[in-house]
């Protein structure tokens, strides 16, 4: 394994429960703990803007229930980037 050019440990979605997952804050916290590789998931908003989100819906990661139910479906791909920028993550 001495020739392995990649990190042996990868921070899954950043820093676990120490910061909101898939955020720059999570990646910075993970880096502070020595992680040099990060796994994240990319989805597209309704208008084609890439965003970092693991789940298929926004239910688990945001308290913005009014926005989720105002959209045609509770998926990130049904909501435009302009609306997604107003969402708070938890």
């Amino acid at each position: 394994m001495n020739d392995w050019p990649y990190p042996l440990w990868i921070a899954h979605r950043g820093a676990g429960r120490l910061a909101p997952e898939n955020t720059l804050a999570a990646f910075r916290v993970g880096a502070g703990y020595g992680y040099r590789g990060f796994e994240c998931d990319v989805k597209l908003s309704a208008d084609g803007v890439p965003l970092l989100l693991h789940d298929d819906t926004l239910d688990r990661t945001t308290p913005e229930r009014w926005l989720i139910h105002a959209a045609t479906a509770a998926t990130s791909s049904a909501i435009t980037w302009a609306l997604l920028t107003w969402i708070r993550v938890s």
Side-chain angles (χ1 to χ4, degrees):
M1 283 283 264
N2 292 340
D3 296 333
W4 183 255
Y6 306 106
L8 293 178
W9 298 101
I10 296 175
H12 186 240
R13 296 184 227 153
R17 297 180 187 259
L18 299 176
E21 66 185 45
N22 282 325
T23 63
L24 186 54
F27 299 137
R28 285 182 175 151
V29 171
Y33 278 91
Y35 289 98
R36 296 296 174 253
F38 301 93
E39 179 274 341
C40 59
D41 303 283
V42 179
K43 307 242 190 256
L44 293 176
S45 65
D47 48 352
V49 178
L51 62 128
L52 299 183
L53 181 69
H54 173 76
D55 301 345
D56 289 329
T57 69
L58 301 170
D59 292 335
R60 184 178 64 84
T61 57
T62 180
E64 307 296 348
R65 301 291 185 253
W66 63 270
L67 178 58
I68 292 168
H69 297 295
T72 57
T75 63
S76 60
S77 62
I79 303 173
T80 64
W81 178 250
L83 286 175
L84 286 165
T85 60
W86 286 93
I87 294 176
R88 291 174 290 142
V89 294
S90 55

